[in-house]
Amino acid sequence: MFRSMFTVILSMGLALGCSDEPFDVHKNNPGNIRDVGVEYVGSYSCPEEFLCFESDYYGIRAIGANLVAYQEHHSIDTLEGVIARWMPPNENPTNGLQRTAARLAGSPTLDVAEVAKIIITIEQGGNPYPPGFVEMAVSEFDAEFEVEQWDSH
């Protein structure tokens, strides 16, 4: 089911974008961050409701900034809480995405880079970035998130 949802989303992105890349990839916004008036380093407004970034690096950096804000301003300290806010139930099958995120978690405690990779994987249907790239982009952000649905099997 997840793969077919991604195919629909990818098709929508191709239809809305101005290149043959998915909508969010073309905008260097792998986290699908909406334009809600927050100014991120390297961001600029687009005609659509989502932000554009100068490069993938800045788009991923903004994911890290959001994750720290979730913890500091909204007391969200679990992966499931992050997914519920990032991919809300009025737009997404949040419960299923929370289970998917928990399955992608490599341990019961995750840092910002690990959560960012999970968000990218869910939003993009995979993580296209080379090893170390996400870690580099979010290196200035420090937070940990618990995985409530952690299953070591």
Side-chain angles (χ1 to χ4, degrees):
M1 180 175 149
F2 179 74
R3 179 57 57 190
S4 63
M5 282 184 357
F6 176 71
T7 303
V8 169
I9 292 168
L10 178 63
S11 299
M12 288 171 48
L14 292 173
L16 296 173
C18 52
S19 77
D20 60 351
E21 296 176 310
F23 186 67
D24 45 339
V25 173
H26 177 70
K27 298 179 179 316
N28 299 315
N29 187 352
N32 286 327
I33 298 172
R34 290 183 190 278
D35 187 352
V36 294
V38 176
E39 291 188 28
Y40 297 95
V41 174
S43 70
Y44 58 95
S45 290
C46 296
E48 296 81 17
E49 64 184 296
F50 294 92
L51 286 172
C52 291
F53 291 91
E54 294 173 13
S55 69
D56 287 341
Y57 175 88
Y58 290 116
I60 295 168
R61 184 185 181 283
I63 293 171
N66 266 342
L67 292 173
V68 170
Y70 281 9
Q71 198 164 72
E72 291 178 357
H73 302 291
H74 303 285
S75 300
I76 296 173
D77 61 359
T78 66
L79 177 62
E80 292 80 2
V82 167
I83 298 302
R85 185 164 174 96
W86 202 283
M87 303 165 190
N90 63 318
E91 300 175 2
N92 300 282
T94 303
N95 289 337
L97 294 173
Q98 288 171 322
R99 287 189 299 276
T100 297
R103 280 193 303 272
L104 292 170
S107 69
T109 305
L110 305 173
D111 63 21
V112 172
E114 292 164 324
V115 176
K117 287 181 200 177
I118 289 169
I119 289 170
I120 291 167
T121 299
I122 292 172
E123 291 283 6
Q124 303 304 318
N127 179 2
Y129 302 105
F133 187 78
V134 172
E135 290 82 356
M136 181 179 63
V138 300
S139 63
E140 68 187 88
F141 302 108
D142 185 32
E144 286 191 347
F145 299 88
E146 299 298 319
V147 183
E148 294 175 325
Q149 298 178 31
W150 170 250
D151 183 1
S152 61
H153 297 101

